[in-house]
Amino acid sequence: MNVLVLNSGSSTLKFQLFTTDLSRIAQHNDERLCRGQMERIGGETAITIQAREGQRQTMTAPLPDISASLEHLVRWITSEAAEIAEIRSTADIHAVGHRVVHGGELFPESTLITDEVFKGIEDCIDLAPLHNPGNIQGILAARQVFGPQVPQVAVFDTSFHQSMLEHAYLYAIPYDLYQRHHIRRYGFHGTSHRFVAERYSILRGLTKERTNVITLHLGNGCSADAIRGGRSVDTSMGMTPLEGLVMGTRSGDIDPSLVNLIATKESLSTHEVETLLNNQSGLLGISGLTNDMRVLLEKLKEGDDDRARLAIEIFCYRAKKYVGAFLACMGGADAIIFTGGIGENSPEIRARICDGLQWAGLKIDHRRNNQKIGTEGQISTNDSTLHGFVIPTDEELLIARDTVRCIQGQLHTSQSERLSAVQQ
Ligand code: ADP
């Protein structure tokens, strides 16, 4: 089955195309046929496409909206990529999987997009006004380009965290705010946390029930997840992705009184302060230089930039603090798993976060740690009782796999419905 995975924003469209099915999933031999992205949709759109492991191609085209962008992509797939992917028409794309940021409390798992589900995703716009509208555009565009006969599946960033219990997801604010406005912790990056936790179970030969790990997704956005028995029991991001760890441009945890204080001192609206906390804070805000960890690490090496050093120190300190808190909440864990651009590629940051966790049983093997750059494997010594692992995330692959699973589930339901109808 050829599954197109879409991550659609207001002016961007990221995509990957897979060949996969239930038996390929079981054998872990899904095939990635192409991947790429379109940026600045609405103007002269920049397009990057890479077929299999081939050369990355870049081009531009004037694409007014997401539908036009998707049509453009499908033309490319069915013409230029046809030789590689053996996809000659839209009929050769059998399903579309969408990354959807917010599923609120409505969607505890991935689901086939019916009219009712579509309405539910619209109802969640309130919770993610910056993201869900772009995702909805992607769903509408796919419907238009592929027609209603091609199944579409929504995979939510929030679903994995729906297993959290009330004590973990409720804020200590008046309870009726939760009842009236659904104000609570939802958590994000769920697809990534779930992917690396499942991958860890496979690597270690563990059942889901015996998978107890803390996952650290450290990219531009950063979050930590406490996973016990294969289920998310707590996570660092909250009602929005602003809470928790220090990120590229987000502050993570702050004293809530700062919002009003900064607004007063700087003559800003509270909305402007929220933008400042989202876009001008974190590594960028502290360093005054960049949100790019690579640049900060270079500065650290050169040794002449105190604020770059400080940004890195605060980033690692906060991550360590969450690890400690989650260890306490979970009653210990088997491993800390690093993923995301920074987690996968920076031995220096991993070592700084793990340094001082010997008391918890984690001893970093520095040779192993230094060797793991974008690759999977253990970074702790064999005699550690709390292990360290690097596992590159692959959210798109999980979306493709969930798409297949949902469609198969649907197939079974309709088949059994049909059968029972026949039997009556
Ligand atoms: P996003 O959250 O946007 O998907 P990524 O997961 O790609 O982002 O992570 C981006 C971050 O990863 C940036 O801060 C970048 O500097 C960092 N990064 C990428 N490669 C390295 C590296 N080799 N060493 C340190 N940081 C890296």
Side-chain angles (χ1 to χ4, degrees), residues 217-221 283 291-294 297 340-342 345-346 373:
H217 179 109
L218 308 178
N220 225 337
L283 294 174
N291 61 336
D292 190 329
M293 186 58 96
R294 279 168 295 202
L297 286 167
I342 299 172
N345 295 300
S346 178
I373 298 181

Side-chain angles (χ1 to χ4, degrees), residues 3 95-97 153 155 398-408:
V3 180
V96 183
V153 167
V155 179
L398 196 141
I399 294 172
R401 288 176 171 178
D402 265 15
T403 300
V404 169
R405 292 183 185 116
C406 282
I407 292 167
Q408 297 296 346

Side-chain angles (χ1 to χ4, degrees), residues 33-154:
L33 302 177
C34 77
R35 67 172 96 189
Q37 61 185 37
M38 297 172 155
E39 288 169 301
R40 297 195 303 275
I41 294 168
E44 189 64 15
T45 305
I47 307 164
T48 311
I49 296 187
Q50 183 183 15
R52 291 195 197 270
E53 299 310 319
Q55 280 286 340
R56 192 178 292 180
Q57 298 183 33
T58 54
M59 58 201 100
T60 61
L63 298 171
D65 54 27
I66 300 284
S67 288
S69 305
L70 188 55
E71 272 167 21
H72 189 88
L73 169 64
V74 169
R75 264 200 305 278
W76 185 87
I77 290 174
T78 53
S79 56
E80 293 195 39
E83 285 312 308
I84 311 160
E86 292 173 4
I87 291 175
R88 293 174 200 287
S89 78
T90 48
D92 295 322
I93 293 175
H94 305 115
V96 183
H98 294 269
R99 177 201 181 207
V100 179
V101 169
H102 220 306
E105 292 182 325
L106 287 178
F107 300 109
E109 55 191 11
S110 307
T111 180
L112 199 70
I113 304 175
T114 58
D115 288 346
E116 201 185 359
V117 166
F118 185 81
K119 166 130 194 349
I121 297 171
E122 281 184 322
D123 289 344
C124 293
I125 286 179
D126 233 14
L127 299 169
L130 297 180
H131 294 105
N132 273 30
N135 304 152
I136 286 170
Q137 288 309 313
I139 295 167
L140 290 172
R143 232 182 233 179
Q144 189 179 322
V145 172
F146 297 105
Q149 72 285 0
V150 172
Q152 299 196 52
V153 167

Side-chain angles (χ1 to χ4, degrees), residues 110-266:
S110 307
T111 180
L112 199 70
I113 304 175
T114 58
D115 288 346
E116 201 185 359
V117 166
F118 185 81
K119 166 130 194 349
I121 297 171
E122 281 184 322
D123 289 344
C124 293
I125 286 179
D126 233 14
L127 299 169
L130 297 180
H131 294 105
N132 273 30
N135 304 152
I136 286 170
Q137 288 309 313
I139 295 167
L140 290 172
R143 232 182 233 179
Q144 189 179 322
V145 172
F146 297 105
Q149 72 285 0
V150 172
Q152 299 196 52
V153 167
V155 179
F156 302 89
D157 268 15
T158 47
S159 291
F160 185 53
H161 305 299
Q162 280 296 302
S163 47
M164 285 187 293
L165 298 178
E166 278 173 326
H167 64 257
Y169 73 68
L170 282 180
Y171 293 114
I173 57 176
Y175 188 77
D176 72 311
L177 291 173
Y178 166 60
Q179 291 172 310
R180 289 191 291 125
H181 305 300
H182 310 287
I183 294 176
R184 52 159 284 180
R185 175 185 311 289
Y186 290 95
F188 299 87
H189 286 150
T191 318
S192 176
H193 291 296
R194 187 182 135 206
F195 179 87
V196 298
E198 287 179 0
R199 181 72 193 144
Y200 177 80
S201 325
I202 291 166
L203 289 175
R204 306 285 281 177
L206 297 171
T207 58
K208 182 176 173 185
E209 290 65 34
R210 295 194 53 203
T211 302
N212 301 314
V213 291
I214 295 170
T215 48
L216 290 175
H217 179 109
L218 308 178
N220 225 337
C222 300
S223 65
D225 200 15
I227 299 174
R228 192 167 59 199
R231 293 155 68 86
S232 175
V233 293
D234 202 352
T235 193
S236 61
M237 282 179 167
M239 170 89 188
T240 75
L242 185 52
E243 193 182 343
L245 304 183
V246 174
M247 314 184 206
T249 62
R250 295 190 193 119
S251 62
D253 295 340
I254 56 159
D255 178 342
S257 305
L258 291 192
V259 174
N260 205 19
L261 188 80
I262 296 170
T264 309
K265 298 266 183 208
E266 295 284 308

